[in-house]
Amino acid sequence: MNFNGKQLMKHNMADSPLWTLSSARFRVVLMMVTCNVICYVDRINISIAIVEMTKEHGWNRQQEGYILSAFFWGYASTQIIGGKLATKYGGHAVLMAAVTAWSLCTLMTPFVTGSLPLLIASRVLIGLGEGMSQPAIHSVIVTWIPPPERTRCIALASSGMIIGTVASMLSSSLVAWSWRAAFLLYGSVGLIWVGIAFMILRRNPRDTAISNTELTYIESFKSKDSSTAATVKGLTVEPPTVSELLTSYPFLSIMVIHFAYNWGWYIILSWIPTYFTTTAGISTKDLGFFGMLPFIAMWILDVSWGNWIDSKLEGGMSTRDARVLSAAVHQLGPAAVLAYISFFPPKSGDQAVIFLTICVALKGSAHSSYWANVMDIAPSSCAVLLGLSNTVASFAGILGNIYVGWALNQDSWELVWMSAVFWYVTGYTVYWAFASGDKLWP
């Protein structure tokens, strides 16, 4: 059964059990938020630290590109297996194993930087662990969160990525003092999260502290949403075959826009500290304040847009229209900004910060677009679909970072930004043409 806007009108937030500190759904979503915070802190920390690490080790831009791209080799390798493991064993178990693995590798980082091959290998290993996180988080949300609340909950959980990015930027003073201490701190925080998750997260809502009212609410959707029913009952739901996915235009359009979005996103995520320090004249010590502004703005739009989209769905907007509208914001908006600064480069650090803040903020609607669309078209198989899509999209991080290293060796930020413009426009065009809001698989 497909959940469209008219059906969601019958189940708005006012009808659901209150979200309080004692709500099991609240605790689960909060754990997903904090998991994403840790995920992105451990991913982005090196983008800030590399400014100081390069001073110590004398790397050139091309070598920096290889280091920053190494994570994505690992990240691309475990997306599909992460989705399959989450479907088989539960997203909670996969998350705890993955966070443990990448946190240990983060703790090891300060001890391997003397060897470029060992540092690259450690980044690949961190990527291997983090590659399982997003399919597993989607699996947890599908298990615990009924369809009327999923867009806002996936947006809220995904906002942890932005919070983690902000936290990394704020650590710039710590990095300036000791970049090694930053890796040790964040690796330790990840292991603490695993300990808390072991006490809170369960595969079946019945196996944790939950009120009868909330459990009844979650299970009331079992007859309407096969994904919730299958997960709660512990049944095996066969995902669509690879051949079915690769011949499905709606799913292929998700993969295309995902790759296109990631090309620009990973370029900004990896290189914005370098851009601010080399072009805008911002020191590493001051990077925290200026570097966090774009991501705070993105977080605000991310959460508010997710709530607004859910309200429009409840008011009758079709799922396809909601996803395509969100895509227009996070693809065409940043494309316009980056095209402008390519032809009219900022004349001051303040202008650079303003333009990049607008660009990054508009990307906040992505979690209400293709990111949530996998749950629309295949609720019970969304972890596998996201894993496959994220695998393809992760190559944007590999190719994009290597490309930027080459472009900056030519001393051309224009080549960097215009490559993102090309992918933003291409991705939106394909998604607009082929996206679907219908449930295509169980």
Side-chain angles (χ1 to χ4, degrees):
M1 181 175 183
N2 178 43
F3 282 89
N4 57 33
K6 293 180 180 179
Q7 291 165 326
L8 292 175
M9 288 176 67
K10 301 176 182 178
H11 296 281
N12 56 42
M13 289 295 282
D15 300 323
S16 63
L18 291 176
W19 282 67
T20 65
L21 292 177
S22 62
S23 164
R25 299 191 327 286
F26 175 85
R27 293 195 301 271
V28 168
V29 173
L30 180 61
M31 290 302 294
M32 298 305 101
V33 173
T34 52
C35 180
N36 271 327
V37 171
I38 296 165
C39 178
Y40 262 64
V41 161
D42 289 340
R43 181 188 305 193
I44 304 305
N45 189 29
I46 197 167
S47 297
I48 297 140
I50 203 167
V51 175
E52 298 300 317
M53 294 165 74
T54 296
K55 294 176 183 177
E56 182 175 323
H57 296 288
W59 299 322
N60 59 39
R61 293 286 184 241
Q62 196 72 60
Q63 289 173 314
E64 288 181 28
Y66 290 136
I67 292 168
L68 293 176
S69 69
F71 168 92
F72 297 99
W73 286 105
Y75 191 69
S77 302
T78 51
Q79 295 289 328
I80 296 175
I81 191 173
K84 289 184 177 294
L85 290 173
T87 300
K88 184 174 182 179
Y89 298 107
H92 71 300
V94 175
L95 274 182
M96 287 188 282
V99 177
T100 299
W102 88 58
S103 296
L104 290 174
C105 290
T106 300
L107 287 170
M108 290 169 48
T109 301
F111 306 103
V112 299
T113 56
S115 167
L116 190 60
L118 284 179
L119 175 59
I120 290 175
S122 73
R123 294 303 298 172
V124 172
L125 291 174
I126 292 173
L128 286 171
E130 292 201 12
M132 299 188 184
S133 62
Q134 296 313 311
I137 286 173
H138 271 61
S139 178
V140 170
I141 288 178
V142 165
T143 301
W144 279 87
I145 307 300
E149 302 170 356
R150 283 183 190 162
T151 300
R152 70 195 73 188
C153 285
I154 197 68
L156 186 61
S158 300
S159 72
M161 304 176 185
I162 306 167
I163 298 171
T165 304
V166 171
S168 291
M169 294 297 173
L170 287 175
S171 72
S172 60
S173 295
L174 174 62
V175 170
W177 174 68
S178 171
W179 59 263
R180 291 177 174 84
F183 287 100
L184 296 174
L185 172 63
Y186 291 132
S188 300
V189 170
L191 296 180
I192 293 172
W193 182 93
V194 174
I196 298 172
F198 184 78
M199 295 184 287
I200 292 177
L201 298 181
R202 297 291 184 273
R203 183 174 192 175
N204 193 322
R206 288 183 172 273
D207 296 334
T208 191
I210 187 171
S211 69
N212 289 332
T213 302
E214 187 173 16
L215 181 61
T216 300
Y217 173 69
I218 293 173
E219 294 191 333
S220 69
F221 287 86
K222 287 193 290 185
S223 62
K224 305 169 185 176
D225 183 357
S226 61
S227 66
T228 305
T231 309
V232 171
K233 289 182 178 179
L235 301 177
T236 300
V237 178
E238 290 297 325
T241 64
V242 174
S243 61
E244 287 178 320
L245 292 174
L246 296 182
T247 54
S248 167
Y249 287 125
F251 178 66
L252 290 175
S253 73
I254 289 175
M255 286 204 299
V256 170
I257 196 171
H258 197 166
F259 179 94
Y261 177 93
N262 275 9
W263 184 279
W265 172 238
Y266 288 144
I267 283 176
I268 292 172
L269 211 56
S270 299
W271 295 91
I272 196 171
T274 300
Y275 180 72
F276 280 161
T277 55
T278 60
T279 301
I282 298 171
S283 68
T284 303
K285 184 178 180 180
D286 295 330
L287 185 62
F289 174 75
F290 293 103
M292 74 178 182
L293 290 179
F295 301 101
I296 290 177
M298 183 182 183
W299 177 80
I300 293 171
L301 183 68
D302 186 5
V303 176
S304 60
W305 188 269
N307 279 281
W308 183 76
I309 284 294
D310 267 355
S311 70
K312 299 304 290 182
L313 288 169
E314 291 163 5
M317 176 182 280
S318 73
T319 303
R320 173 191 151 80
D321 287 348
R323 304 309 178 210
V324 172
L325 174 62
S326 299
V329 174
H330 68 68
Q331 296 292 107
L332 302 184
V337 174
L338 294 182
Y340 182 85
I341 65 174
S342 295
F343 290 103
F344 306 100
K347 292 183 171 57
S348 67
D350 289 343
Q351 286 186 9
V353 171
I354 290 171
F355 284 121
L356 265 296
T357 297
I358 295 171
C359 175
V360 173
L362 293 172
K363 296 175 73 65
S365 67
H367 297 129
S368 301
S369 171
Y370 69 88
W371 202 252
N373 200 190
V374 292
M375 294 190 292
D376 301 324
I377 65 174
S380 66
S381 305
C382 67
V384 176
L385 268 66
L386 184 68
L388 179 57
S389 179
N390 225 0
T391 297
V392 175
S394 295
F395 282 94
I398 298 170
L399 300 174
N401 279 299
I402 293 174
Y403 170 81
V404 172
W406 170 83
L408 293 186
N409 268 348
Q410 319 304 311
D411 197 27
S412 175
W413 281 101
E414 291 78 13
L415 288 174
V416 173
W417 300 139
M418 288 307 296
S419 72
V421 171
F422 168 80
W423 281 111
Y424 281 142
V425 175
T426 300
Y428 175 75
T429 302
V430 173
Y431 191 67
W432 171 82
F434 299 110
S436 172
D438 297 329
K439 185 159 70 174
L440 306 179
W441 297 282

